[in-house]
Every structure is written in C-alpha cells, then in structure tokens.
Amino acid sequence: MRMETTGRAILAVGAVITDLVCRVPRLPTSGEGVVAEEVRAAVGGCALNSANVLRQLGAPHTLFAPVGQGVFAGFVERELAVRGMEALRVPEGRGDDGAVYDNSGCVCFVEPEGERTMLTLPGIDRHFAASWFDELDATDFACGFASGYEVEGASGDAIVGFFEAHPEVRLYYAPGPRVTQVAAQRTARINVLHPVWHLNDAEVRAYTGCASLEEAGFALSAECGNAVVVTEGARGAHLFEEGRHVLVPAEPVDVADTIGAGDAHLGALVAARTSGWAWEDALALANRVAGAVCQVSGGTLSDAAFARLGVSL
C-alpha cells in the first residue's frame, strides 16, 4: 500500500529501535564489570527521535523506518501507537535478503556527566530493501534525511539509490558516530548529491582529519558542495556555508543525558528550513529543542514537555 502524505513533506529514513538506557558510575575497562545504577527501556533511533520533533512541530512528514518481528519490534509498535505515529510495516519482518529480523536495540551507557556510549544490536534497520521505496511518491517530499547507521550496511545502497533517483529531494545526511565506517565510495556517492551534512564536532574532526573545528567544517563544506552544520554541545551549533562560518550559541542547561539530542536538533532544523526559516533562526530553534532533550532521560520529549518550550514553526 502506498504511503500517503500531504503537501511538501519531510522523509525521515532510518530506524526505530529500543534503547536500553543504563546509568553507570563509569564505563568498564576491558574484562571488567560494572553495575548499572538504573536501567530503563525507551523507544529511540535516529529517524524516530527526529520525526518525533517533526510531529511536535506540526511539520508534514513520513517516518520511513521499518518495523520487523520480535521482542523489540513489539515494544516499538506499542510506543509508536502511544505517540500516534506510524512507521513502515514490513510484511513478515523480512529484510532485503528475505530473512526475518527484529528491530534493532541499543544499550546506552550514560555516565554521571550525561555523556552516552552506545552498543548497537543490529536488526531490520540494516536491511532496507529497494522495493520498500516503491511505497513512496517522491513528489510528496521537499527533503529527507538519513543517518550513517543505516547507510553503512550493505543495504545502504537502497537508501542512497532512492536519493540518487530523486535528486530533487534535498538530502540531509547525519552520519553520527559511524561517520568513519561508511565506505568511502558510498560517501562519495552521497556527496555527489550535494547534501547538507549534520554532525558533531568530534565526528567532523574524525572524518576530515583536521585538528580545528573551523578547518574541518570548511573542508567538509567544500567536499559536499553545500552547507555543513556542526553541533558543539553547550557552545551551540556552527554553520559553514559558501565561505562563511557562523556560531549560533545555545543556552546553558542541566544535562541529564545527551541521548537523541543530535537527532532532535536535526529534526527541528530540517522542519524550520523546510518552512523557509533563515539558517540562524533555524539553528536557534534546533539548539533550544536539543537543549530540552538533554534535560530529560532518553532521546525524546513528551508532548507536555515540548509544549512548555512554547516553540512553533
């Protein structure tokens, strides 16, 4: 069945996964064990975290993230229903190779200062089939975004292939911590599309090999032929575009954890830009939403918490 949208929407390609958030006093060293101080399950994933912000801002969108078969998939189904959200129901949970897959899981270790370290348990989100995209009418979409986690795997060709077949759908590429694991050939294909890159300061340095953030931002902007957005935690977000560098500062917040903050930033940024906002205004909105996410445990804000922000498009 064709997935219906209205207007010029945003296509959120990626994963809906189950996060097991474990608060630990510190990360264990090799061969060591630590006891978690708290463990909770939450729905997450780059696409879901971003799309939840799109929903809360009222931006037309399609969450194009597969739901498989299994324990994690069942949890995902229930959590999506609570939010009134829909994702891609894959017949029998079969991926690109015909095998049945559960949704991915992610063990998120959160240290006292709020930093998160992730161990991902791969699932159907790494097995996109090109035929799934037949559900879409590309003319519905002004833009879309994808993350490195899904693009990295063998089925990432299906994701990149959709945007290659429809270059009029502007791509926002958020590679995340897998930025250096995506094959160079696939990254080159992505850059031919002149995407807007969205990543953090550590990731842009790791990808470019540049020591300074400014040098890295300009190098990546030249490589992709478009704007690059680099988040830098409490400092805010940097924009590198057409030879200019702008830092849009963030307001200080008390951090519970940083899970999903980058995804929320991406969702708010894309929503604002698609609505015609200037870069600086869009980044200010994205900083505010991401800061709010940092103040709660897990990767999404409740609708009540979002409403208290008092933001809109």
Side-chain angles (χ1 to χ4, degrees):
M1 179 180 296
R2 181 177 170 275
M3 302 183 72
E4 297 293 339
T5 62
T6 58
R8 295 287 281 166
I10 299 164
L11 181 64
V13 180
V16 184
I17 71 177
T18 298
D19 286 333
L20 301 175
V21 183
C22 306
R23 294 194 171 275
V24 295
R26 59 181 175 80
L27 295 180
T29 60
S30 180
E32 182 188 21
V34 298
V35 177
E37 298 169 345
E38 178 188 351
V39 180
R40 61 185 291 267
V43 69
C46 300
L48 180 280
N49 294 338
S50 298
N52 191 59
V53 173
L54 298 177
R55 177 184 66 85
Q56 290 170 326
L57 284 169
H61 68 281
T62 289
L63 175 56
F64 198 74
V67 179
Q69 295 284 342
V71 174
F72 289 155
F75 180 79
V76 162
E77 288 272 16
R78 292 191 295 274
E79 291 297 309
L80 287 172
V82 168
R83 291 164 174 78
M85 300 178 72
E86 294 185 357
L88 178 64
R89 268 59 180 186
V90 177
E92 300 179 344
R94 296 189 183 278
D96 60 318
D97 57 359
V100 176
Y101 291 96
D102 198 351
N103 280 61
S104 293
C106 183
V107 183
C108 304
F109 299 100
V110 181
E111 297 174 83
E113 67 275 15
E115 186 57 87
R116 89 285 186 266
T117 302
M118 299 178 293
L119 171 64
T120 302
L121 314 174
I124 195 168
D125 332 86
R126 302 264 285 191
H127 292 276
F128 270 75
S131 61
W132 297 351
F133 289 92
D134 295 340
E135 300 281 314
L136 302 174
D137 181 348
T139 63
D140 286 338
F141 302 102
C143 63
F145 53 76
S147 73
Y149 172 65
E150 295 82 24
V151 167
E152 174 194 357
S155 67
D157 280 334
I159 297 172
V160 177
F162 171 80
F163 288 99
E164 287 175 329
H166 304 284
E168 71 279 6
V169 180
R170 168 65 67 198
L171 173 61
Y172 287 78
Y173 180 48
R178 304 302 296 171
V179 61
T180 59
Q181 304 304 311
V182 178
Q185 183 181 25
R186 191 165 294 161
T187 299
R189 288 172 58 193
I190 290 170
N191 279 334
V192 167
L193 299 170
H194 303 300
V196 174
W197 280 60
H198 184 281
L199 67 178
N200 69 28
D201 55 319
E203 292 158 0
V204 74
R205 288 190 181 99
Y207 176 75
T208 62
C210 298
S212 77
L213 187 152
E214 184 168 64
E215 182 183 6
F218 279 127
L220 182 52
S221 181
E223 181 178 327
C224 72
N226 206 336
V228 170
V229 172
V230 180
T231 59
E232 194 185 7
R235 285 200 68 201
H238 301 258
L239 170 68
F240 298 89
E241 183 197 33
E242 297 180 347
R244 71 182 182 122
H245 172 202
V246 177
L247 170 63
V248 178
E251 298 177 2
V253 298
D254 294 324
V255 176
D257 65 51
T258 59
I259 298 170
D263 304 329
H265 194 278
L266 174 65
L269 174 69
V270 175
R273 287 291 292 166
T274 305
S275 295
W277 290 31
W279 275 113
E280 288 83 350
D281 295 333
L283 287 168
L285 173 67
N287 288 348
R288 189 169 179 191
V289 172
V293 170
C294 286
Q295 296 178 75
V296 300
S297 180
T300 60
L301 288 175
S302 68
D303 289 353
F306 188 87
R308 288 193 292 272
L309 283 177
V311 298
S312 61
L313 293 176

